[in-house]
Amino acid sequence: SQTIHQWPATLVQPVGSPLSLECTVEGTSNPNLYWYRQAAGRGLQLLFYSVGIGQISSEVPQNLSASRPQDRQFILSSKKLLLSDSGFYLCAWSVPSGTYNEQFFGPGTRLTVL
Amino acid sequence: KQEVTQIPAALSVPEGENLVLNCSFTDSAIYNLQWFRQDPGKGLTSLLLIQSSQREQTSGRLNASLDKSSGRSTLYIAASQPGDSATYLCAVDKVGNAGKSTFGDGTTLTVKP
């Protein structure tokens, strides 16, 4: 069966510090990978998605970047965090089949920037 | 631009009641509509996915319907239980944007014992 891991679970960082969040998927090959951010009480905003190694699409201009160094590894980074980067970050995967594209989510990382 | 709305934002019902959660979307050109459950501080759990060619999907006490022409989906929960308390989100994939879903803000359900 497939599983998705995210770490760390929680993170408190000062403004201006760097960031690296990691997501790995097990039990599947060549998945689509996604990074979302969720503000308190709100739905999810798609930040980045990737259809393969080294292929990243950015959905929202921002202070963040993403990389996919391996097939099942997706990394979210920042060189200098802003207060507005605080939120709940969720990684997801899917393996599209035609137009069928069911997404599965990781446990999330709660980021607080002080 | 696709917009997804979920009303009400919060719902409280007594245990055992049947209930319906609503999801509406502005662009009917979709591939899929997916319903999720989210517990506080946790990730999303996929409940049901309806493809654009389908009208409904069922899993246990859950039934999701899709009316693409009117831009609406409903999630029906039968015989609600306190363990059903969570936030329920819907998400749609727009034609031409496969895999890039637009989410509603969710409905927070509380089932009182």
Side-chain angles (χ1 to χ4, degrees):
Chain A
S1 65
Q2 301 89 0
T3 56
I4 178 169
H5 304 279
Q6 283 187 248
W7 66 90
T10 60
L11 191 59
V12 180
Q13 293 284 96
V15 169
S17 63
L19 173 73
S20 180
L21 303 181
E22 190 163 342
C23 169
T24 59
V25 181
E26 297 177 356
T28 189
S29 297
N30 196 30
N32 285 3
L33 296 173
Y34 311 87
W35 278 112
Y36 290 91
R37 179 169 59 202
Q38 185 177 33
R42 300 299 301 276
L44 276 66
Q45 179 186 41
L46 179 63
L47 302 177
F48 301 95
Y49 84 102
S50 171
V51 299
I53 295 174
Q55 300 178 62
I56 309 293
S57 294
S58 174
E59 293 300 303
V60 181
Q62 59 212 317
N63 185 41
L64 303 169
S65 62
S67 62
R68 184 171 177 173
Q70 300 180 44
D71 181 46
R72 290 169 290 177
Q73 183 185 29
F74 206 21
I75 297 172
L76 183 69
S77 304
S78 174
K79 293 182 179 178
K80 290 185 178 182
L81 283 168
L82 306 173
L83 286 174
S84 59
D85 292 324
S86 293
F88 192 47
Y89 288 82
L90 290 153
C91 181
W93 69 271
S94 70
V95 178
S97 176
T99 59
Y100 184 93
N101 188 49
E102 186 173 7
Q103 294 189 46
F104 301 93
F105 282 78
T109 295
R110 174 75 60 190
L111 172 66
T112 303
V113 182
L114 301 175
Chain B
K1 177 187 173 185
Q2 178 74 274
E3 294 183 2
V4 180
T5 304
Q6 292 186 249
I7 296 174
L11 182 63
S12 181
V13 300
E15 181 177 4
E17 190 163 300
N18 302 326
L19 60 101
V20 173
L21 306 179
N22 298 295
C23 172
S24 61
F25 46 95
T26 54
D27 189 338
S28 61
I30 65 170
Y31 284 137
N32 306 287
L33 186 144
Q34 195 168 355
W35 281 95
F36 295 90
R37 168 188 173 135
Q38 185 176 31
D39 293 296
K42 305 294 185 182
L44 278 65
T45 300
S46 178
L47 297 174
L48 291 163
L49 182 146
I50 310 177
Q51 293 182 273
S52 62
S53 59
Q54 299 173 323
R55 298 226 15 124
E56 65 179 305
Q57 284 284 347
T58 298
S59 176
R61 294 183 293 109
L62 305 179
N63 176 277
S65 67
L66 175 65
D67 184 343
K68 206 172 61 167
S69 61
S70 67
R72 293 182 180 180
S73 176
T74 61
L75 180 67
Y76 174 83
I77 303 177
S80 59
Q81 304 170 357
D84 295 329
S85 299
T87 297
Y88 292 81
L89 297 102
C90 66
V92 296
D93 282 355
K94 186 179 180 303
V95 170
N97 275 348
K100 294 188 286 184
S101 300
T102 302
F103 281 77
D105 288 345
T107 294
T108 298
L109 172 66
T110 302
V111 181
K112 297 177 288 186

